Amino acid sequence: MEEKEKRTEIGELGEFGLIDKLTAQFESYQPGTVKGVGDDAAVIKGGGLYTVVSTDLLLEGIHFDLMYTPLKHLGYKAVVVNLSDIYAMNATPGQVTVSIGLSSRFSLEAVEELYAGIKAACDYYKVDLVGGDTASSQQGLVISVTAVGQVAPAKITYRSGAKVGDIICVTGNLGAAYLGLQILEREKQVYLSEPDTQPDLEDQQYIIGRQLKPEARNDMVKYLAKSKVVPTAMIDVSDGLASDLMHICKQSNVGAFVEESGVPIHPEAQQMALKFQLDPITCALSGGEDYELLFTIDPKDLPEVRLLPDIYIMGELTDRDQGIKLHTKGGNIHDIKAQGWRHF
Ligand code: ADP
Ligand code: MG
């Protein structure tokens, strides 16, 4: 972690001073936020909608590495990955809470960097920070974000709603975030053995950006709403296509047939995979953290969905007995096995 010239100990401010300082610059965007930071609980207006809630816990050394993750990016990503879960329900997030555990290693300036990233995400996605908790941690940094969103009951998308014959779609491209992580990990190892060498990020801004500063696909939820298409099932790709597709198949009681040629991979990810002697399709299937949306649609909606940008048709759902298969470009058919990210 880079040390700034100025270092203010958190102990000088105390918990309440810290909370005030961190939350003061946040604006409110949502008419549904009745009460934000400052009371025992936040108050959010309901209406005739479903409220969806999602939470994530991020631990230093397990989910992030501060050797190559700037605190501002970390704050941004911590919010974005939660919003992504809300969008995956076809809902619109309105509020987040952020809880942090800090050791004395972190100065006020460092925590302000983290919050600058949290604020950038709140500003970009127009969500309100309405609360959180602050505690001290013995060692690493701990961040937990909870996001709250709303959706009309008729539009909610569960993992369990897919049917045989539905079309499998995915947004954006897959595998790049995993390859970005490979570059960062490699440079970390080089740095640890030869601290004088400069990191060689190979001009891979796109790939590294996919790892350090992912975005959630709020645009897709808007496009789908505009074209009046409700996916039959939806999930965000956080663990990798194989694992996330398996969740849809399991919960919907179906199989899947995926065309390798339909799996979108960015050209820079393609090249970098080959450089690492990895198969690009394996990176797309098993790499995680792309935060794209994987969804299934009824075939009758295909003409509408085809008109939307940045959506790729990968295959279709089959009978459960057929399993989850990949039809390779070479004409072979393989089982898709979920490996995904397992931190345990
Ligand atoms: P309590 O003792 O009731 O838990 P706190 O003193 O922890 O209250 O929090 C006071 C207010 O500040 C609450 O509205 C809480 O949600 C908010 N808050 C606490 N920590 C954070 C944080 N890290 N980020 C944002 N809001 C926070
Ligand atoms: Mg508290």
Side-chain angles (χ1 to χ4, degrees):
M1 200 179 64
E2 192 178 302
E3 281 290 357
K4 295 270 160 57
E5 292 128 51
K6 192 165 183 303
R7 180 180 166 100
T8 310
E9 297 303 325
I10 287 166
E12 288 173 30
L13 285 141
E15 183 190 336
F16 301 128
L18 175 66
I19 295 169
D20 284 348
K21 227 178 160 95
L22 294 178
T23 56
Q25 294 105 5
F26 282 78
E27 292 166 44
S28 180
Y29 293 106
Q30 299 286 336
T33 305
V34 179
K35 179 81 193 174
V37 170
D39 213 306
D40 294 313
V43 181
I44 300 167
K45 245 191 280 195
L49 303 172
Y50 280 172
T51 297
V52 297
V53 179
S54 178
T55 196
D56 268 310
L57 176 64
L58 301 176
L59 304 173
E60 183 180 351
I62 307 278
H63 304 99
F64 59 88
D65 188 331
L66 290 177
M67 277 215 24
Y68 51 71
T69 312
L71 283 164
K72 192 168 173 180
H73 287 69
L74 179 63
Y76 192 87
K77 183 169 174 175
V79 172
V80 165
V81 304
N82 267 272
L83 301 184
S84 179
D85 282 322
I86 302 291
Y87 293 123
M89 303 301 289
N90 209 21
T92 303
Q95 293 82 16
V96 290
T97 64
V98 175
S99 298
I100 49 176
L102 299 167
S103 71
S104 56
R105 214 172 98 223
F106 295 92
S107 63
L108 170 65
E109 288 75 16
V111 188
E112 282 180 327
E113 272 297 294
L114 180 75
Y115 268 71
I118 292 170
K119 181 167 189 302
C122 288
D123 290 340
Y124 185 75
Y125 291 95
K126 302 277 180 282
V127 298
D128 295 347
L129 175 74
V130 295
D133 203 15
T134 309
S136 51
S137 138
Q138 295 232 329
Q139 275 168 355
L141 176 63
V142 179
I143 309 170
S144 178
V145 177
T146 299
V148 179
Q150 291 193 312
V151 57
K155 284 209 214 160
I156 194 153
T157 51
Y158 297 112
R159 296 174 178 183
S160 57
K163 305 266 176 304
V164 174
D166 285 356
I167 316 259
I168 309 169
C169 307
V170 73
T171 63
N173 64 79
L174 300 172
Y178 172 76
L179 287 156
L181 181 65
Q182 298 314 302
I183 298 174
L184 293 167
E185 284 286 351
R186 182 192 65 195
E187 291 313 308
K188 176 184 167 182
Q189 295 312 323
V190 171
Y191 174 81
L192 288 174
S193 57
E194 294 167 61
D196 291 338
T197 54
Q198 285 297 304
D200 175 15
L201 299 180
E202 305 200 40
D203 237 4
Q204 293 297 330
Q205 285 190 8
Y206 177 74
I207 296 178
I208 291 171
R210 291 283 285 175
Q211 171 61 222
L212 290 182
K213 191 174 177 285
E215 299 290 358
R217 297 308 303 254
N218 57 336
D219 54 338
M220 285 301 153
V221 173
K222 282 181 201 148
Y223 286 139
L224 289 167
K226 234 186 189 167
S227 57
K228 300 204 163 36
V229 171
V230 179
T232 51
M234 184 147 69
I235 187 169
D236 67 327
V237 184
S238 53
D239 291 339
L241 177 62
S243 162
D244 293 317
L245 179 59
M246 188 204 67
H247 287 308
I248 288 185
C249 289
K250 263 201 168 154
Q251 295 201 27
S252 298
N253 225 346
V254 293
F257 193 82
V258 174
E259 295 289 346
E260 181 181 0
S261 58
V263 178
I265 300 175
H266 194 276
E268 290 180 28
Q270 188 96 26
Q271 280 178 14
M272 194 47 60
L274 298 175
K275 250 183 153 165
F276 277 106
Q277 297 186 311
L278 295 166
D279 193 355
I281 187 72
T282 307
C283 296
L285 288 170
S286 299
E289 301 196 285
D290 293 307
Y291 300 104
E292 296 293 346
L293 291 173
L294 170 66
F295 59 94
T296 56
I297 54 166
D298 188 296
K300 76 167 168 32
D301 289 327
L302 189 56
E304 284 293 329
V305 170
R306 272 199 199 284
L307 298 176
L308 301 178
D310 212 22
I311 294 180
Y312 304 88
I313 312 283
M314 289 193 304
E316 73 175 64
L317 296 179
T318 54
D319 208 79
R320 179 199 150 138
D321 302 338
Q322 314 221 237
I324 305 177
K325 304 283 182 192
L326 180 73
H327 183 212
T328 67
K329 289 176 185 167
N332 295 314
I333 295 175
H334 295 301
D335 280 326
I336 296 181
K337 295 213 178 67
Q339 290 163 326
W341 285 99
R342 282 289 152 260
H343 296 295
F344 297 99

